[in-house]
mmCIF file of all heavy atoms in Angstrom:
data_model
loop_
_atom_site.group_PDB
_atom_site.id
_atom_site.type_symbol
_atom_site.label_atom_id
_atom_site.label_comp_id
_atom_site.label_asym_id
_atom_site.label_seq_id
_atom_site.Cartn_x
_atom_site.Cartn_y
_atom_site.Cartn_z
ATOM 1 N N ARG A 28 -0.416 0.729 15.404
ATOM 2 C CA ARG A 28 0.820 0.518 14.637
ATOM 3 C C ARG A 28 0.630 -0.582 13.608
ATOM 4 O O ARG A 28 1.071 -0.453 12.451
ATOM 5 C CB ARG A 28 1.971 0.176 15.578
ATOM 6 C CG ARG A 28 3.285 -0.060 14.865
ATOM 7 C CD ARG A 28 4.382 -0.558 15.797
ATOM 8 N NE ARG A 28 5.620 -0.771 15.066
ATOM 9 C CZ ARG A 28 5.875 -1.839 14.316
ATOM 10 N NH1 ARG A 28 4.998 -2.821 14.213
ATOM 11 N NH2 ARG A 28 7.037 -1.942 13.673
ATOM 12 N N GLU A 29 0.000 -1.690 14.017
ATOM 13 C CA GLU A 29 -0.234 -2.801 13.096
ATOM 14 C C GLU A 29 -1.047 -2.329 11.895
ATOM 15 O O GLU A 29 -0.760 -2.694 10.749
ATOM 16 C CB GLU A 29 -0.961 -3.937 13.810
ATOM 17 C CG GLU A 29 -0.160 -4.650 14.866
ATOM 18 C CD GLU A 29 0.714 -5.743 14.308
ATOM 19 O OE1 GLU A 29 0.244 -6.484 13.419
ATOM 20 O OE2 GLU A 29 1.864 -5.840 14.724
ATOM 21 N N ALA A 30 -2.071 -1.552 12.145
ATOM 22 C CA ALA A 30 -2.935 -1.071 11.063
ATOM 23 C C ALA A 30 -2.157 -0.238 10.055
ATOM 24 O O ALA A 30 -2.350 -0.379 8.835
ATOM 25 C CB ALA A 30 -4.105 -0.261 11.633
ATOM 26 N N ILE A 31 -1.270 0.584 10.550
ATOM 27 C CA ILE A 31 -0.534 1.485 9.661
ATOM 28 C C ILE A 31 0.667 0.791 9.014
ATOM 29 O O ILE A 31 0.897 0.917 7.804
ATOM 30 C CB ILE A 31 -0.047 2.727 10.425
ATOM 31 C CG1 ILE A 31 -1.248 3.491 11.008
ATOM 32 C CG2 ILE A 31 0.773 3.642 9.529
ATOM 33 C CD1 ILE A 31 -2.220 4.034 9.983
ATOM 34 N N VAL A 32 1.437 0.046 9.795
ATOM 35 C CA VAL A 32 2.704 -0.499 9.318
ATOM 36 C C VAL A 32 2.535 -1.889 8.684
ATOM 37 O O VAL A 32 2.932 -2.114 7.539
ATOM 38 C CB VAL A 32 3.744 -0.556 10.445
ATOM 39 C CG1 VAL A 32 5.040 -1.210 9.959
ATOM 40 C CG2 VAL A 32 4.032 0.833 10.982
ATOM 41 N N VAL A 33 1.934 -2.800 9.418
ATOM 42 C CA VAL A 33 1.916 -4.188 8.970
ATOM 43 C C VAL A 33 0.920 -4.417 7.840
ATOM 44 O O VAL A 33 1.267 -4.941 6.774
ATOM 45 C CB VAL A 33 1.615 -5.126 10.162
ATOM 46 C CG1 VAL A 33 1.549 -6.577 9.677
ATOM 47 C CG2 VAL A 33 2.678 -4.957 11.240
ATOM 48 N N GLU A 34 -0.342 -3.998 8.063
ATOM 49 C CA GLU A 34 -1.333 -4.227 7.035
ATOM 50 C C GLU A 34 -1.038 -3.408 5.781
ATOM 51 O O GLU A 34 -1.254 -3.858 4.661
ATOM 52 C CB GLU A 34 -2.744 -3.946 7.564
ATOM 53 C CG GLU A 34 -3.202 -4.975 8.571
ATOM 54 C CD GLU A 34 -4.692 -4.910 8.835
ATOM 55 O OE1 GLU A 34 -5.483 -5.122 7.904
ATOM 56 O OE2 GLU A 34 -5.080 -4.626 9.992
ATOM 57 N N ARG A 35 -0.545 -2.182 5.955
ATOM 58 C CA ARG A 35 -0.227 -1.377 4.767
ATOM 59 C C ARG A 35 0.967 -1.921 4.014
ATOM 60 O O ARG A 35 1.120 -1.654 2.820
ATOM 61 C CB ARG A 35 -0.014 0.082 5.161
ATOM 62 C CG ARG A 35 -1.325 0.794 5.481
ATOM 63 C CD ARG A 35 -1.142 2.291 5.612
ATOM 64 N NE ARG A 35 -0.850 2.916 4.324
ATOM 65 C CZ ARG A 35 -0.526 4.196 4.204
ATOM 66 N NH1 ARG A 35 -0.430 4.963 5.279
ATOM 67 N NH2 ARG A 35 -0.280 4.701 3.024
ATOM 68 N N ALA A 36 1.795 -2.727 4.670
ATOM 69 C CA ALA A 36 2.864 -3.399 3.941
ATOM 70 C C ALA A 36 2.277 -4.365 2.909
ATOM 71 O O ALA A 36 2.802 -4.528 1.806
ATOM 72 C CB ALA A 36 3.777 -4.146 4.917
ATOM 73 N N LEU A 37 1.168 -5.017 3.286
ATOM 74 C CA LEU A 37 0.467 -5.883 2.335
ATOM 75 C C LEU A 37 -0.008 -5.072 1.127
ATOM 76 O O LEU A 37 0.204 -5.463 -0.020
ATOM 77 C CB LEU A 37 -0.736 -6.539 3.030
ATOM 78 C CG LEU A 37 -1.728 -7.262 2.113
ATOM 79 C CD1 LEU A 37 -1.101 -8.528 1.544
ATOM 80 C CD2 LEU A 37 -3.011 -7.603 2.890
ATOM 81 N N HIS A 38 -0.625 -3.924 1.402
ATOM 82 C CA HIS A 38 -1.087 -3.083 0.300
ATOM 83 C C HIS A 38 0.102 -2.620 -0.557
ATOM 84 O O HIS A 38 0.019 -2.603 -1.784
ATOM 85 C CB HIS A 38 -1.831 -1.860 0.854
ATOM 86 C CG HIS A 38 -3.106 -2.223 1.562
ATOM 87 N ND1 HIS A 38 -3.120 -2.830 2.791
ATOM 88 C CD2 HIS A 38 -4.397 -2.048 1.215
ATOM 89 C CE1 HIS A 38 -4.370 -3.020 3.177
ATOM 90 N NE2 HIS A 38 -5.172 -2.564 2.232
ATOM 91 N N GLY A 39 1.189 -2.256 0.120
ATOM 92 C CA GLY A 39 2.350 -1.768 -0.597
ATOM 93 C C GLY A 39 2.916 -2.806 -1.558
ATOM 94 O O GLY A 39 3.384 -2.459 -2.660
ATOM 95 N N SER A 40 2.878 -4.076 -1.171
ATOM 96 C CA SER A 40 3.412 -5.110 -2.047
ATOM 97 C C SER A 40 2.553 -5.239 -3.306
ATOM 98 O O SER A 40 3.085 -5.418 -4.415
ATOM 99 C CB SER A 40 3.468 -6.462 -1.313
ATOM 100 O OG SER A 40 2.177 -6.938 -1.000
ATOM 101 N N PHE A 41 1.240 -5.131 -3.142
ATOM 102 C CA PHE A 41 0.363 -5.148 -4.310
ATOM 103 C C PHE A 41 0.573 -3.889 -5.162
ATOM 104 O O PHE A 41 0.606 -3.948 -6.386
ATOM 105 C CB PHE A 41 -1.097 -5.271 -3.887
ATOM 106 C CG PHE A 41 -1.546 -6.664 -3.585
ATOM 107 C CD1 PHE A 41 -1.826 -7.056 -2.271
ATOM 108 C CD2 PHE A 41 -1.691 -7.609 -4.587
ATOM 109 C CE1 PHE A 41 -2.248 -8.350 -1.999
ATOM 110 C CE2 PHE A 41 -2.113 -8.910 -4.316
ATOM 111 C CZ PHE A 41 -2.391 -9.281 -3.011
ATOM 112 N N PHE A 42 0.681 -2.737 -4.502
ATOM 113 C CA PHE A 42 0.845 -1.481 -5.239
ATOM 114 C C PHE A 42 2.124 -1.510 -6.102
ATOM 115 O O PHE A 42 2.151 -1.025 -7.220
ATOM 116 C CB PHE A 42 0.880 -0.293 -4.283
ATOM 117 C CG PHE A 42 -0.430 0.010 -3.600
ATOM 118 C CD1 PHE A 42 -0.497 0.959 -2.599
ATOM 119 C CD2 PHE A 42 -1.590 -0.685 -3.939
ATOM 120 C CE1 PHE A 42 -1.698 1.241 -1.964
ATOM 121 C CE2 PHE A 42 -2.806 -0.422 -3.301
ATOM 122 C CZ PHE A 42 -2.853 0.540 -2.317
ATOM 123 N N LYS A 43 3.190 -2.068 -5.522
ATOM 124 C CA LYS A 43 4.452 -2.159 -6.276
ATOM 125 C C LYS A 43 4.266 -3.046 -7.488
ATOM 126 O O LYS A 43 4.730 -2.707 -8.599
ATOM 127 C CB LYS A 43 5.549 -2.726 -5.365
ATOM 128 C CG LYS A 43 6.917 -2.794 -6.038
ATOM 129 C CD LYS A 43 7.977 -3.281 -5.054
ATOM 130 C CE LYS A 43 9.357 -3.330 -5.733
ATOM 131 N NZ LYS A 43 10.400 -3.809 -4.789
ATOM 132 N N GLU A 44 3.574 -4.163 -7.305
ATOM 133 C CA GLU A 44 3.311 -5.080 -8.418
ATOM 134 C C GLU A 44 2.489 -4.397 -9.510
ATOM 135 O O GLU A 44 2.708 -4.617 -10.706
ATOM 136 C CB GLU A 44 2.579 -6.307 -7.890
ATOM 137 C CG GLU A 44 2.196 -7.327 -8.955
ATOM 138 C CD GLU A 44 1.362 -8.464 -8.400
ATOM 139 O OE1 GLU A 44 1.406 -8.695 -7.164
ATOM 140 O OE2 GLU A 44 0.646 -9.106 -9.182
ATOM 141 N N TRP A 45 1.543 -3.559 -9.092
ATOM 142 C CA TRP A 45 0.632 -2.908 -10.050
ATOM 143 C C TRP A 45 1.174 -1.590 -10.580
ATOM 144 O O TRP A 45 0.556 -0.966 -11.452
ATOM 145 C CB TRP A 45 -0.721 -2.649 -9.389
ATOM 146 C CG TRP A 45 -1.418 -3.883 -8.928
ATOM 147 C CD1 TRP A 45 -1.318 -5.148 -9.426
ATOM 148 C CD2 TRP A 45 -2.344 -3.985 -7.832
ATOM 149 N NE1 TRP A 45 -2.114 -6.022 -8.710
ATOM 150 C CE2 TRP A 45 -2.751 -5.339 -7.738
ATOM 151 C CE3 TRP A 45 -2.852 -3.055 -6.925
ATOM 152 C CZ2 TRP A 45 -3.658 -5.764 -6.787
ATOM 153 C CZ3 TRP A 45 -3.759 -3.487 -5.967
ATOM 154 C CH2 TRP A 45 -4.156 -4.830 -5.889
ATOM 155 N N GLY A 46 2.284 -1.109 -10.049
ATOM 156 C CA GLY A 46 2.838 0.163 -10.496
ATOM 157 C C GLY A 46 2.127 1.383 -9.961
ATOM 158 O O GLY A 46 2.161 2.444 -10.588
ATOM 159 N N ILE A 47 1.493 1.233 -8.804
ATOM 160 C CA ILE A 47 0.806 2.379 -8.165
ATOM 161 C C ILE A 47 1.810 3.090 -7.270
ATOM 162 O O ILE A 47 2.266 2.552 -6.256
ATOM 163 C CB ILE A 47 -0.403 1.920 -7.343
ATOM 164 C CG1 ILE A 47 -1.452 1.236 -8.250
ATOM 165 C CG2 ILE A 47 -1.050 3.097 -6.611
ATOM 166 C CD1 ILE A 47 -2.626 0.668 -7.501
ATOM 167 N N THR A 48 2.159 4.294 -7.629
ATOM 168 C CA THR A 48 3.135 5.068 -6.858
ATOM 169 C C THR A 48 2.475 5.712 -5.645
ATOM 170 O O THR A 48 1.241 5.795 -5.561
ATOM 171 C CB THR A 48 3.758 6.165 -7.725
ATOM 172 O OG1 THR A 48 2.720 7.111 -8.066
ATOM 173 C CG2 THR A 48 4.391 5.588 -8.983
ATOM 174 N N ALA A 49 3.310 6.188 -4.718
ATOM 175 C CA ALA A 49 2.787 6.885 -3.538
ATOM 176 C C ALA A 49 1.989 8.112 -3.952
ATOM 177 O O ALA A 49 0.937 8.419 -3.364
ATOM 178 C CB ALA A 49 3.935 7.270 -2.618
ATOM 179 N N GLY A 50 2.465 8.804 -4.985
ATOM 180 C CA GLY A 50 1.749 9.980 -5.462
ATOM 181 C C GLY A 50 0.404 9.639 -6.063
ATOM 182 O O GLY A 50 -0.579 10.346 -5.817
ATOM 183 N N ALA A 51 0.363 8.559 -6.839
ATOM 184 C CA ALA A 51 -0.897 8.130 -7.455
ATOM 185 C C ALA A 51 -1.903 7.720 -6.380
ATOM 186 O O ALA A 51 -3.093 8.035 -6.476
ATOM 187 C CB ALA A 51 -0.656 6.986 -8.423
ATOM 188 N N PHE A 52 -1.404 7.032 -5.346
ATOM 189 C CA PHE A 52 -2.280 6.651 -4.243
ATOM 190 C C PHE A 52 -2.836 7.874 -3.541
ATOM 191 O O PHE A 52 -4.039 7.993 -3.297
ATOM 192 C CB PHE A 52 -1.527 5.763 -3.252
ATOM 193 C CG PHE A 52 -2.244 5.609 -1.930
ATOM 194 C CD1 PHE A 52 -3.384 4.848 -1.838
ATOM 195 C CD2 PHE A 52 -1.777 6.259 -0.782
ATOM 196 C CE1 PHE A 52 -4.069 4.720 -0.622
ATOM 197 C CE2 PHE A 52 -2.436 6.141 0.419
ATOM 198 C CZ PHE A 52 -3.585 5.358 0.503
ATOM 199 N N ALA A 53 -1.967 8.822 -3.218
ATOM 200 C CA ALA A 53 -2.395 10.019 -2.506
ATOM 201 C C ALA A 53 -3.389 10.827 -3.318
ATOM 202 O O ALA A 53 -4.272 11.493 -2.750
ATOM 203 C CB ALA A 53 -1.174 10.878 -2.159
ATOM 204 N N ASP A 54 -3.288 10.782 -4.635
ATOM 205 C CA ASP A 54 -4.175 11.565 -5.507
ATOM 206 C C ASP A 54 -5.511 10.876 -5.753
ATOM 207 O O ASP A 54 -6.401 11.474 -6.373
ATOM 208 C CB ASP A 54 -3.489 11.833 -6.847
ATOM 209 C CG ASP A 54 -2.337 12.834 -6.719
ATOM 210 O OD1 ASP A 54 -2.301 13.569 -5.703
ATOM 211 O OD2 ASP A 54 -1.486 12.870 -7.628
ATOM 212 N N THR A 55 -5.655 9.633 -5.300
ATOM 213 C CA THR A 55 -6.933 8.920 -5.503
ATOM 214 C C THR A 55 -7.895 9.306 -4.403
ATOM 215 O O THR A 55 -7.647 9.065 -3.220
ATOM 216 C CB THR A 55 -6.703 7.390 -5.467
ATOM 217 O OG1 THR A 55 -5.747 7.029 -6.444
ATOM 218 C CG2 THR A 55 -8.023 6.664 -5.727
#
């Protein structure tokens, strides 16, 4: 759970700052 929820929250904060959408992430 930590790997999926907590650590990915860190990634999500950076992605929001950089304008990386969920779709753009999934397509990478």
Side-chain angles (χ1 to χ4, degrees):
R28 180 187 179 281
E29 292 276 318
I31 301 297
V32 176
V33 178
E34 290 194 62
R35 285 191 70 187
L37 169 70
H38 295 73
S40 66
F41 278 109
F42 291 173
K43 183 177 181 180
E44 178 185 339
W45 299 332
I47 298 175
T48 65
F52 166 72
D54 289 341
T55 303

